[in-house]
Amino acid sequence: MHDFPLYFELGWQHICDWQGYDHILFVTILCGTYLLTDWRKVLILVTAFTIGHSITLALSALNIVHINTSLIEFLIPVTIVITSLFNIIKKKRSPGTAKVIYALALFFGLIHGLGFSNYLKSLLGKSTNITAQLLAFNLGLEFGQVLIVTAILIVSFILLNIIKIQRREWTLFLSSAIFGIALIMCIERFALIHFK
């Protein structure tokens, strides 16, 4: 457990790292269209994503699941593109829409967990007893995710309530901008996929 603070720090720094901004983009597009008053919905959404990536992070770090790394690196921006498109197409949120979003967050969390696991496996090396490190790293990821979500909700609050931008305009702007960035990432990463 003496490694706990180290792996916790590595976890939150990894998700907040601008070098790997694809995870920041995903959390932004997932939560950026909500209001501060929607914090319960955001909590459920982030929890669904957390469950997904916790499962595959553990399975991959424990060498139970092996997936082509270049394919995962391509699929991560695909999740961002799909989420962006969903935000652009859906004008109103209904209970049915919320269920679809939660299911997507859970499923896409599985993909992102595989992406996180590559980094974690490189840190762990040949260690065999990794439960404490895995827990610390995952909690660090969650802490970083909470920081990102909090920042996003504050920015949304300022834009919608103080500057008075219309919510739909903000959703379209944010979703379109992130869609464009993620689409470029998809194109670039598709060329790097190594099929075995």
Side-chain angles (χ1 to χ4, degrees):
M1 287 298 282
H2 65 279
D3 287 339
F4 191 93
L6 171 66
Y7 280 91
F8 181 85
E9 183 177 351
L10 289 169
W12 75 261
Q13 287 180 348
H14 180 62
I15 197 168
C16 294
D17 184 8
W18 287 106
Q19 303 272 339
Y21 62 93
D22 47 1
H23 299 299
I24 295 173
L25 286 178
F26 182 76
V27 174
T28 301
I29 198 60
L30 194 62
C31 302
T33 60
Y34 288 90
L35 305 174
L36 270 174
T37 54
D38 296 325
W39 67 269
R40 285 183 190 88
K41 293 176 186 174
V42 173
L43 182 63
I44 295 169
L45 197 59
V46 169
T47 302
F49 179 64
T50 297
I51 291 168
H53 78 65
S54 297
I55 291 168
T56 50
L57 177 62
L59 292 175
S60 183
L62 294 168
N63 290 314
I64 296 170
V65 172
H66 303 279
I67 304 240
N68 183 338
T69 303
S70 61
L71 179 61
I72 293 303
E73 289 304 314
F74 165 71
L75 289 176
I76 289 172
V78 168
T79 67
I80 301 167
V81 165
I82 293 169
T83 308
S84 299
L85 280 175
F86 191 83
N87 287 345
I88 291 167
I89 293 167
K90 274 315 224 182
K91 292 185 179 175
K92 297 200 174 180
R93 296 181 193 271
S94 65
T97 304
K99 288 178 185 173
V100 171
I101 294 171
Y102 298 145
L104 283 175
L106 176 66
F107 179 70
F108 291 164
L110 294 170
I111 295 169
H112 284 253
L114 292 168
F116 294 139
S117 69
N118 293 327
Y119 175 71
L120 180 60
K121 281 200 276 193
S122 70
L123 293 173
L124 294 171
K126 302 212 181 257
S127 297
T128 52
N129 186 12
I130 63 168
T131 307
Q133 292 94 330
L134 183 60
L135 176 64
F137 186 78
N138 205 31
L139 289 173
L141 285 174
E142 294 323 302
F143 176 72
Q145 193 169 277
V146 167
L147 292 177
I148 295 167
V149 169
T150 302
I152 293 162
L153 291 177
I154 290 170
V155 168
S156 293
F157 176 82
I158 291 168
L159 291 173
L160 299 175
N161 295 299
I162 297 173
I163 300 177
K164 302 292 184 189
I165 293 174
Q166 294 295 316
R167 185 174 184 180
R168 182 66 186 153
E169 289 176 12
W170 168 239
T171 298
L172 287 174
F173 170 78
L174 182 69
S175 301
S176 300
I178 292 178
F179 172 84
I181 295 167
L183 186 61
I184 292 168
M185 290 170 70
C186 286
I187 294 166
E188 291 172 350
R189 292 182 184 186
F190 182 76
L192 300 174
I193 297 176
H194 304 294
F195 295 102
K196 295 178 182 176

